[in-house]
Amino acid sequence: DAGITQSPRHKVTETGTPVTLRCHQTENHRYMYWYRQDPGHGLRLIHYSYGVKDTDKGEVSDGYSVSRSKTEDFLLTLESATSSQTSVYFCATKLGSSGDTGELFFGEGSRLTVL
Amino acid sequence: QQQVKQSPQSLIVQKGGISIINCAYENTAFDYFPWYQQFPGKGPALLIAIRPDVSEKKEGRFTISFNKSAKQFSLHIMDSQPGDSATYFCAASNSGNTGKLIFGQGTTLQVKP
């Protein structure tokens, strides 16, 4: 268990509303990632962070923003949710220092439904 | 260049049989190839991984075969068990590129008793 907590675990919202998903880690890992999982697409990277206040885009970043003000927290925000953003969102972390094997550790996911 | 293609999409195997899942990649800069296992309602978890300096890696009943020239790698599950029923994802990354993983589309494995 890599000590990753995602909240909320389930959320139903309406089109056009803002949504923030939170990822909290207790392992002091340097790297944090947000992926979305959709049938037939596997896991696709939305945004990632390589340190406090250091973030970059992934392959499906349109409509999403992120922030990392502390090592342990990585927030994913949908400024105006759309039905195409209905998905399961996973946070992951990676050590990023001596001893890093390349392994990503995943949270248990946040299921978002946009009506 | 960034794609990882995985097949088959779904697989049904009898208990005791061999499960084989295949992946192909395009980016020759990839140097880390893990397989993740995911049970319903859970996040993916690392199962086994390989780097391109070896052609095969075995951990218990799980083996990765790697063909660098063909840009392909596969997961073999020997003596498949009902508890192996899960979704399997292959992935690839360039370890010098912040370690972000590019995942395949996933394979849902069902092992029948």
Side-chain angles (χ1 to χ4, degrees):
Chain A
D1 184 358
I4 301 170
T5 304
Q6 291 186 229
S7 59
R9 294 290 314 280
H10 301 272
K11 186 172 181 66
V12 179
T13 191
E14 294 191 349
T15 297
T17 60
V19 175
T20 296
L21 304 180
R22 179 180 183 242
C23 179
H24 178 78
Q25 58 131 338
T26 59
E27 301 295 317
N28 200 35
H29 285 182
R30 177 185 175 190
Y31 292 102
M32 299 186 75
Y33 310 84
W34 277 108
Y35 285 87
R36 60 177 289 175
Q37 182 176 9
D38 305 288
H41 291 278
L43 293 116
R44 292 179 291 174
L45 182 64
I46 305 171
H47 280 281
Y48 65 99
S49 169
Y50 45 96
V52 173
K53 293 186 168 47
D54 292 323
T55 65
D56 204 349
K57 296 179 180 180
E59 58 183 310
V60 289
S61 60
D62 287 349
Y64 301 94
S65 63
V66 290
S67 66
R68 191 169 179 199
S69 58
K70 298 184 291 185
T71 297
E72 57 267 34
D73 289 327
F74 193 33
L75 304 181
L76 177 70
T77 298
L78 292 65
E79 300 289 348
S80 178
T82 68
S83 58
S84 65
Q85 293 175 313
T86 291
S87 186
V88 181
Y89 292 85
F90 285 97
C91 174
T93 69
K94 191 169 83 76
L95 179 60
S97 61
S98 176
D100 188 346
T101 62
E103 181 177 359
L104 264 61
F105 297 88
F106 283 84
E108 298 213 319
S110 294
R111 181 175 294 276
L112 176 66
T113 301
V114 183
L115 301 176
Chain B
Q1 269 290 336
Q2 291 293 320
Q3 280 189 322
V4 177
K5 295 184 178 180
Q6 182 173 345
S7 63
Q9 185 174 356
S10 63
L11 183 60
I12 300 175
V13 173
Q14 291 294 131
K15 178 182 176 182
I18 302 173
S19 304
I20 302 174
I21 306 171
N22 300 298
C23 281
Y25 64 98
E26 299 173 358
N27 189 343
T28 55
F30 288 152
D31 61 0
Y32 175 66
F33 302 90
W35 285 88
Y36 278 76
Q37 180 187 55
Q38 183 183 32
F39 294 105
K42 300 293 185 181
L46 179 67
L47 183 63
I48 187 172
I50 197 168
R51 295 192 183 270
D53 52 339
V54 296
S55 61
E56 186 176 282
K57 183 174 182 179
K58 183 176 181 179
E59 290 184 0
R61 296 184 294 108
F62 301 91
T63 300
I64 299 179
S65 296
F66 183 78
N67 186 329
K68 187 175 182 178
S69 61
K71 293 187 287 185
Q72 295 176 347
F73 58 111
S74 60
L75 176 69
H76 295 237
I77 306 174
M78 311 300 288
D79 187 26
S80 298
Q81 299 296 312
D84 297 330
S85 297
T87 300
Y88 293 81
F89 294 97
C90 64
S93 72
N94 176 348
S95 57
N97 188 23
T98 69
K100 50 184 181 177
L101 286 175
I102 307 299
F103 283 86
Q105 294 81 0
T107 297
T108 300
L109 171 65
Q110 181 184 357
V111 181
K112 290 193 169 183

